[in-house]
Amino acid sequence: LGPTIIHLFDEGERSLPPRFVDRPIQAMSMNIFRLCGDMSHVFSIIVLLLRLRVAKNASGISVRTHELFLVVFVTRYLDLFTTFYSLYNSCMKVLYIATTAAIIYMIRFSEPICSTYDKAQDTFLHWKFAVAPCAAIAFITHLIGSGISRFDLLELLWTFSIYLESIAILPQLIVLQRYREVENLTGNYILFMGAYRAFYILNWIYRSYHEPMYQHHFVVYLCGVLQTVLYADFFYYYFMSKQKGGKFTLPTSRG
């Protein structure tokens, strides 16, 4: 027998593309970068839920970003009904779907939180300028890669989720840009979200060197880098504000 490898939850590859399921499933071994990425994403959810439950205030939070993330999770995790990887994997998938749905419900319907949500600032047309383009790109790239004869709906949805996740944070960043002054817990939430993706880029690099059977997926790489780049400006001003010890404010579009 080969070395025992614990199959764990990989944030960047939570579900293998369905076309890999019929092959021997490559186990996902733990490394420090994956662990840090997983924990960063979990901490981001905890921080946001704490912000909503304790402060009872949704000011500066984009519900549209979380609606996009819910679409990402639901379309990516349909393999919950088809393939069992591990208890940890399944529990994490359910956790992300449930907590994201809970956040949306709290902001849209739970008083007094929903009364503090400013729709006038959260205006990014996410269905038109995020979901629709990503669906079109996923459909085109899936047809190019697989052809009509090998068309697979689950793989198409998986690819769509990868594209959509790369820009799902955009509505939130736009809201923060409009508010300019960023509340402390909100800033920490965005920081953890950006950190999780940055750690997964390191995870991919580490795995490519240390796992001989590691399967490269360049769509995941490209979208992961794009997602991290979107956070770069936020990271800069976040750490600058911490260094100066003042309030965390973002510049206007003209700086």
Side-chain angles (χ1 to χ4, degrees):
L1 294 178
T4 300
I5 301 178
I6 302 173
H7 187 89
L8 293 168
F9 177 81
D10 189 320
E11 180 70 28
E13 302 159 22
R14 293 183 180 113
S15 305
L16 294 172
R19 60 193 169 91
F20 292 137
V21 171
D22 293 334
R23 306 174 188 178
I25 296 177
Q26 179 185 337
M28 299 178 185
S29 56
M30 177 57 75
N31 62 65
I32 187 61
F33 303 115
R34 176 178 301 146
L35 178 62
C36 289
D38 284 349
M39 293 304 100
S40 293
H41 202 171
V42 170
F43 289 154
S44 73
I45 293 174
I46 292 173
V47 168
L48 182 55
L49 287 173
L50 182 66
R51 160 85 153 79
L52 294 174
R53 293 289 296 179
V54 175
K56 307 275 185 200
N57 191 316
S59 177
I61 303 297
S62 169
V63 74
R64 299 187 179 210
T65 274
H66 293 91
E67 288 172 346
L68 291 178
F69 275 121
L70 184 59
V71 173
V72 167
F73 299 149
V74 170
T75 54
R76 185 176 300 172
Y77 299 157
L78 290 173
D79 65 347
L80 277 168
F81 302 102
T82 62
T83 308
F84 179 78
Y85 296 104
S86 70
L87 181 61
Y88 177 75
N89 185 288
S90 297
C91 287
M92 292 296 281
K93 291 175 180 179
V94 172
L95 173 68
Y96 281 114
I97 293 173
T99 53
T100 304
I103 289 169
I104 295 171
Y105 176 82
M106 291 168 67
I107 296 175
R108 287 213 177 269
F109 305 109
S110 179
E111 290 287 1
I113 298 172
C114 64
S115 297
T116 64
Y117 167 60
D118 190 352
K119 296 179 181 179
Q121 300 297 330
D122 193 14
T123 58
F124 182 80
L125 301 177
H126 56 327
W127 303 113
K128 182 177 181 180
F129 294 121
V131 174
C134 288
I137 294 172
F139 183 77
I140 292 170
T141 56
H142 180 63
L143 283 184
I144 293 174
S146 301
I148 296 178
S149 61
R150 296 179 59 199
F151 181 85
D152 187 316
L153 180 59
L154 287 182
E155 184 172 351
L156 171 61
L157 293 174
W158 182 89
T159 305
F160 163 72
S161 76
I162 296 296
Y163 287 129
L164 185 60
E165 186 182 23
S166 69
I167 60 172
I169 198 64
L170 269 179
Q172 179 63 71
L173 295 178
I174 291 172
V175 168
L176 293 182
Q177 188 74 39
R178 290 172 176 173
Y179 272 89
R180 294 199 61 211
E181 186 171 314
V182 182
E183 190 269 340
N184 188 51
L185 285 177
T186 304
N188 291 337
Y189 153 68
I190 302 296
L191 177 71
F192 282 124
M193 284 293 292
Y196 109 76
R197 179 51 67 186
F199 278 121
Y200 266 91
I201 292 178
L202 297 176
N203 166 57
W204 298 332
I205 295 172
Y206 177 89
R207 291 182 65 190
S208 69
Y209 280 100
H210 292 85
E211 296 183 17
M213 301 299 293
Y214 179 68
Q215 293 171 330
H216 294 279
H217 200 293
F218 293 100
V219 169
V220 174
Y221 296 164
L222 177 63
C223 292
V225 171
L226 172 61
Q227 188 176 355
T228 305
V229 168
L230 289 177
Y231 289 96
D233 189 60
F234 176 90
F235 282 169
Y236 173 78
Y237 289 105
Y238 179 91
F239 289 114
M240 287 293 291
S241 69
K242 294 299 181 182
Q243 182 179 17
K244 294 178 180 178
K247 291 183 177 180
F248 178 20
T249 57
L250 294 172
T252 63
S253 60
R254 296 297 298 174

